[in-house]
Amino acid sequence: MRFACGQLPRPPLPTWQHGGVTAATHSSLFPQVPESADAVLDGLDPEQREVATALHGPVCVLAGAGTGKTRAITHRIAYGVRAGILQPTSVLAVTFTNRAAGEMRGRLRQLGAGGVQARTFHSAALRQLQYFWPKAVGGDLPRLLERKVQLVAEAAARCRIRLDRNELRDVTSEIEWSKVTQTVPADYPAVVAKTQRDAPRDPAEISQIYATYEELKRDRSVIDFEDVLLLTVAILQDRHDIADHVRRQYQHFVVDEYQDVSPLQQRLLDLWLGDRDTLCVVGDASQTIYSFTGATPDHLLNFRTRHPRATVVKLVRDYRSTPQVVHLANGLLGQARGRAAEHRLELVSQREPGPEPAYAEYADEPSEAEGTARRIRDLIAAGVPAGEIAVLYRVNSQSEVYEQALADAGVPYQLRGAERFFERAEVREAGVALRGAARAGGNDSLLDDAEGLPAEVRAVLSTKGWTSEPPTGSGAVRDRWESLAALVRLAEDFERARPGATLSDLVAELDERAAAQHAPTVQGVTLASLHSAKGLEWDAVFLVGLTEGMMPITYAKTDEQIEEERRLLYVGVTRARLHLSLSWSLARSPGGRAGRRPSRFLSGLRPGSAPLGARGTGGGGGIERGPEPVAKRGRRGPARCRVCGKTLTDAGEMKLMRCEDCPSDMDEALYERLRDWRAVRAKEIGQPAYCVFTDKTLMAIAEAVPGSAGELAVISGVGARKLGRFGTAVLGICAGETVEEVLGEAADEV
């Protein structure tokens, strides 16, 4: 059944939507494998069911955010396999990230279709290249270059072109873009001029560096990730026998996130297909946010032209977000222009109403970070898990001030983009220990007093650094503990889902999850860039730094670049299930000129703003004004280093009121006494040490050596609450009292 976009009627209660359909997201960790092919279709809505049963000919799924696109295509594959229509080994499902491929493999396994290959384009191409290289070329495949930056730097040096760190990164990205758009070095300047691309250096210089980089690779017999696709394409084009071999192996193709396909990836897909049309693609042009890598929605938007007989299904029922969040998302796209905007999908929320999106304006970035941290702390106190909260920003350099603010507020966090869970050293060590304990069974003395699977896992992992209470502070020790704690929580969930499960059962589950890269959840507020948040979702999302120059980013000049920035914000909005906060600050640093303006994309959406586009829709709620800067942030101008006088912008440096590399006059003995006192107090109140004071704050105190409450209060990271709670003790230690004396006085007062 198909409906016109934006005209989905609410079905009557007795149908699929009343108690029958299951959520498109937030599914059970350990669902039971469906008993039959028909059972695979249970819980799908009409449009998802149509996708799942459309097993012949070309299929195009236009799927809005939160509409269950991955659910639809994995159920399609599983239904075909379970019904005997598709052979598992004949299906190749491709997507763009290892995480997405891992999630797809995990879902297929849970649906009883574990033999299907689900890979990224690069992973699938690399396997084929490794297998066919000896036959097609001879010898061993050249070594794969993990990081090309160093070689690009050497190429620039040989060309006598000097690049700073940022330019080196940008030129490397230009080389990657050139290769995925199949642009050779000699053609690069002409292509830049034709496409009006904003090159980071003179195009002739980049062309020269690009050519030299390719020469260095040939001389050293190495290939990069883009070469994997290029070489696979070349072999399949030149060797018809090898192309026929691949086509006999894979007869059905599914492509997720099709709006992100580059010309090179499309060429590879065409070669895999040959003259067949057994292809299912799924995507959303309104979520095209990677054009800088060569991605283009044209292949998705032109699919019907290339395949006139294609089945086209639109998914617009949003199961992720509340009507309030969906209303804002639709309003954001309502102001969009361009070809992608012409094909936008009007989402229809299937959830109960929730709170209106909140808008907040702050005096400066540190105030915005502190205000965000306070709101997050309140949400956690109200029962929202830290792992279900995210802070999203435009560029990674914005993260530090939020890391500091969350640490000051005693809120655990994790940075998105760290190494994959099952590749972490502590996780590998834990796996070895659990496997050994499972083999030993009752002969392992560690398990003598452990009753039940979670207790056994805790006992084993206690030898690897897990404790019932998290370690104080942050850094590597805390990261290691969080990884082990995630395994403990997984064991608890596993036992609840499968009572009576043994340690061997859990080890088998971990092996399957590692193969599928289906990682358990690590608790902590997620800090991530908007680009890296694609494909993820949280109960509460904080979109921060929404000012002109940051959203849209200052180097977005053309209409299409501006529209891509709008789509990026749309992706951020649609990550939220229930709580959504949008904020901006009027100045960068405390005391700085308040010359910033809220993002133009919020015009007509945030309360009190006039719409820029004819189709803008006003959002609910009101704008919260952040607290006025306190005296220490008065009109004294920008924060400056008290040693060299340089203007400070880094949050950690502003705490110390000096540059990180400027000489410190810190009283080392005082600092150590403060650390000793902090450790005792943190243990007494049952919280990590950084919840008392961070290391940077202690360093600032040890440098300032305050003699009064007023002097202590102006140190960044103290604040009124901590001053009242810990001020007397800190001032006592600064006055020369020992830690024991200060703690004794506190006990006497109690």
Side-chain angles (χ1 to χ4, degrees):
M1 180 183 296
R2 295 185 197 131
F3 301 95
C5 182
Q7 297 178 352
L8 288 172
R10 296 276 185 173
L13 289 179
T15 64
W16 58 272
Q17 197 174 16
H18 183 56
V21 70
T22 51
T25 56
H26 237 13
S27 58
S28 169
L29 284 172
F30 303 99
Q32 296 297 318
V33 175
E35 295 180 355
S36 64
D38 287 341
V40 171
L41 303 178
D42 291 345
L44 299 182
D45 69 28
E47 293 78 32
Q48 292 171 347
R49 182 179 285 256
E50 184 172 359
V51 173
T53 55
L55 297 173
H56 301 287
V59 178
C60 179
V61 184
L62 301 176
T67 58
K69 66 178 181 62
T70 305
R71 178 185 181 84
I73 58 175
T74 52
H75 280 69
R76 177 184 186 270
I77 296 169
Y79 176 72
V81 169
R82 299 290 297 275
I85 300 171
L86 305 177
Q87 292 299 314
T89 55
S90 73
V91 180
L92 178 59
V94 289
T95 187
F96 287 83
T97 66
N98 288 313
R99 184 199 59 77
E103 180 185 359
M104 192 177 291
R105 286 193 295 270
R107 292 197 190 195
L108 289 170
R109 178 169 61 89
Q110 293 166 350
L111 292 169
V116 174
Q117 291 291 309
R119 298 187 174 278
T120 64
F121 272 99
H122 283 88
S123 173
L126 182 59
R127 282 172 64 90
Q128 293 175 19
L129 198 60
Q130 290 170 330
Y131 184 81
F132 291 114
W133 185 269
K135 180 179 180 179
V137 181
D140 295 329
L141 180 69
R143 179 174 62 85
L144 185 62
L145 189 66
E146 293 290 339
R147 294 180 69 251
K148 58 173 67 71
V149 171
Q150 188 172 352
L151 206 60
V152 173
E154 187 173 340
R158 289 200 176 191
C159 297
R160 297 185 178 181
I161 298 172
R162 187 169 184 174
L163 302 177
D164 63 29
R165 184 187 304 175
N166 292 330
E167 289 175 321
L168 179 59
R169 181 196 60 208
D170 292 341
V171 169
T172 300
S173 296
E174 282 299 287
I175 291 174
E176 292 171 349
W177 174 85
S178 299
K179 299 184 77 165
V180 300
T181 56
Q182 302 176 80
T183 302
V184 298
D187 293 343
Y188 174 79
V191 172
V192 167
K194 182 179 179 181
T195 60
Q196 296 183 309
R197 186 172 177 83
D198 188 13
R201 293 277 299 210
D202 182 283
E205 290 183 336
I206 294 178
S207 174
Q208 188 181 0
I209 296 170
Y210 180 11
T212 306
Y213 167 76
E214 292 296 320
E215 292 172 5
L216 287 172
K217 285 201 292 99
R218 284 193 294 271
D219 292 345
R220 297 175 188 182
S221 296
V222 296
I223 59 175
D224 59 28
F225 277 101
E226 291 71 39
D227 290 330
V228 170
L229 299 183
L230 286 163
L231 291 170
T232 305
V233 164
I235 288 175
L236 294 178
Q237 284 180 161
D238 296 343
R239 293 291 299 267
H240 297 293
D241 56 330
I242 292 177
D244 289 340
H245 186 133
V246 172
R247 291 167 191 156
R248 286 194 301 271
Q249 171 70 49
Y250 296 117
Q251 298 166 23
H252 302 274
F253 297 86
V254 177
V255 184
D256 193 11
E257 304 287 5
Y258 193 56
Q259 77 277 353
D260 291 332
V261 166
S262 69
L264 179 56
Q265 290 165 331
Q266 181 62 49
R267 180 64 187 136
L268 178 59
L269 181 60
D270 290 340
L271 288 166
W272 282 341
L273 273 166
D275 58 1
R276 299 167 297 180
D277 62 1
T278 50
L279 172 66
C280 174
V281 301
V282 58
D284 179 8
S286 295
Q287 296 188 67
T288 305
I289 59 173
Y290 297 109
S291 67
F292 61 91
T293 67
T296 170
D298 290 345
H299 304 297
L300 175 67
L301 298 176
N302 295 337
F303 192 85
R304 192 71 179 269
T305 303
R306 297 185 65 189
H307 303 280
R309 299 174 58 189
T311 299
V312 179
V313 184
K314 292 182 179 180
L315 303 182
V316 296
R317 304 179 194 267
D318 188 328
Y319 298 95
R320 175 188 298 159
S321 305
T322 62
Q324 287 76 10
V325 173
V326 167
H327 177 66
L328 176 56
N330 286 337
L332 192 59
L333 285 189
Q335 300 178 357
R337 298 290 180 267
R339 192 179 179 208
E342 293 170 2
H343 294 80
R344 58 178 168 262
L345 299 169
E346 190 87 7
L347 300 178
V348 181
S349 176
Q350 307 296 297
R351 293 193 57 172
E352 293 295 321
E356 292 286 351
Y359 299 83
E361 181 177 281
Y362 295 92
D364 51 63
E365 286 184 7
S367 295
E368 185 179 2
E370 291 166 11
T372 301
R374 283 195 302 272
R375 285 171 167 266
I376 289 173
R377 192 175 59 205
D378 292 342
L379 281 176
I380 293 173
V384 180
E388 290 294 350
I389 303 174
V391 178
L392 306 181
Y393 35 75
R394 178 60 179 85
V395 295
N396 286 320
S397 61
Q398 292 172 273
S399 75
E400 186 171 359
V401 67
Y402 289 92
E403 293 177 56
Q404 188 66 55
L406 290 172
D408 286 345
V411 175
Y413 65 86
Q414 56 177 330
L415 285 171
R416 175 97 185 129
E419 63 182 323
R420 290 188 288 179
F421 182 82
F422 288 104
E423 294 177 2
R424 298 176 187 176
E426 64 270 19
V427 174
R428 293 198 301 268
E429 293 170 11
V432 171
L434 290 170
R435 191 170 289 107
R439 281 198 302 266
N443 297 322
D444 193 330
S445 59
L446 269 176
L447 308 180
D448 287 347
D449 299 324
E451 294 186 11
L453 178 61
E456 292 177 342
V457 172
R458 292 187 202 102
V460 173
L461 297 188
S462 64
T463 66
K464 299 299 176 184
W466 180 83
T467 57
S468 58
E469 293 295 327
T472 59
S474 56
V477 174
R478 179 62 182 246
D479 290 344
R480 180 182 180 88
W481 183 90
E482 291 286 3
S483 297
L484 299 179
L487 292 175
V488 171
R489 286 191 297 272
L490 183 69
E492 293 167 350
D493 292 334
F494 192 63
E495 186 186 52
R496 278 194 294 271
R498 301 183 186 175
T502 66
L503 201 53
S504 296
D505 295 331
L506 178 65
V507 168
E509 173 70 19
L510 287 173
D511 288 342
E512 291 186 4
R513 280 173 168 260
Q517 283 300 324
H518 184 192
T521 301
V522 177
Q523 285 302 318
V525 172
T526 299
L527 296 177
S529 70
L530 286 163
H531 280 102
S532 66
K534 178 74 171 65
L536 302 174
E537 59 186 85
W538 296 270
D539 283 344
V541 169
F542 290 80
L543 301 176
V544 299
L546 301 182
T547 60
E548 285 291 307
M550 193 59 76
M551 177 56 66
I553 199 76
T554 186
Y555 52 75
K557 303 294 187 185
T558 67
D559 290 344
E560 181 47 44
Q561 289 170 340
I562 296 294
E563 287 305 315
E564 180 151 338
E565 291 290 298
R566 187 193 308 275
R567 294 194 294 269
L568 186 58
L569 181 56
Y570 172 79
V571 166
V573 168
T574 55
R575 299 310 94 194
R577 299 192 191 104
L578 180 61
H579 303 281
L580 177 63
S581 175
L582 304 95
S583 65
W584 58 92
S585 54
L586 301 179
R588 180 176 184 180
S589 304
R593 187 175 67 87
R596 289 177 168 179
R597 292 180 293 119
S599 169
R600 71 188 73 173
F601 300 143
L602 300 182
S603 296
L605 301 176
R606 61 184 175 87
S609 62
L612 292 180
R615 300 188 58 186
T617 56
I623 297 180
E624 174 189 299
R625 306 290 175 182
E628 288 297 316
V630 295
K632 64 177 177 176
R633 291 184 187 150
R635 309 293 181 189
R636 297 181 302 174
R640 297 188 182 278
C641 174
R642 54 188 168 81
V643 180
C644 69
K646 175 184 171 184
T647 299
L648 302 175
T649 56
D650 176 82
E653 291 181 344
M654 284 193 286
K655 258 188 192 303
L656 298 175
M657 290 305 294
R658 64 171 173 81
C659 301
E660 192 75 45
D661 52 359
C662 278
S664 168
D665 54 358
M666 182 177 71
D667 184 330
E668 296 284 353
L670 173 57
Y671 176 67
E672 290 304 322
R673 292 202 306 277
L674 288 168
R675 282 175 56 88
D676 292 343
W677 164 81
R678 181 184 65 173
V680 177
R681 286 296 283 129
K683 188 174 182 180
E684 287 176 351
I685 63 179
Q687 291 186 340
Y690 64 81
C691 291
V692 180
F693 288 117
T694 63
D695 286 346
K696 282 275 171 60
T697 299
L698 291 187
M699 290 174 66
I701 294 171
E703 290 184 353
V705 193
S708 67
E711 293 176 358
L712 178 59
V714 299
I715 295 176
S716 179
V718 176
R721 184 175 64 86
K722 291 187 178 181
L723 179 65
R725 193 173 189 186
F726 306 122
T728 301
V730 170
L731 290 172
I733 293 174
C734 290
E737 294 184 34
T738 66
V739 173
E740 292 76 13
E741 289 172 341
V742 167
L743 293 172
E745 290 171 3
D748 290 342
E749 290 176 7
V750 173

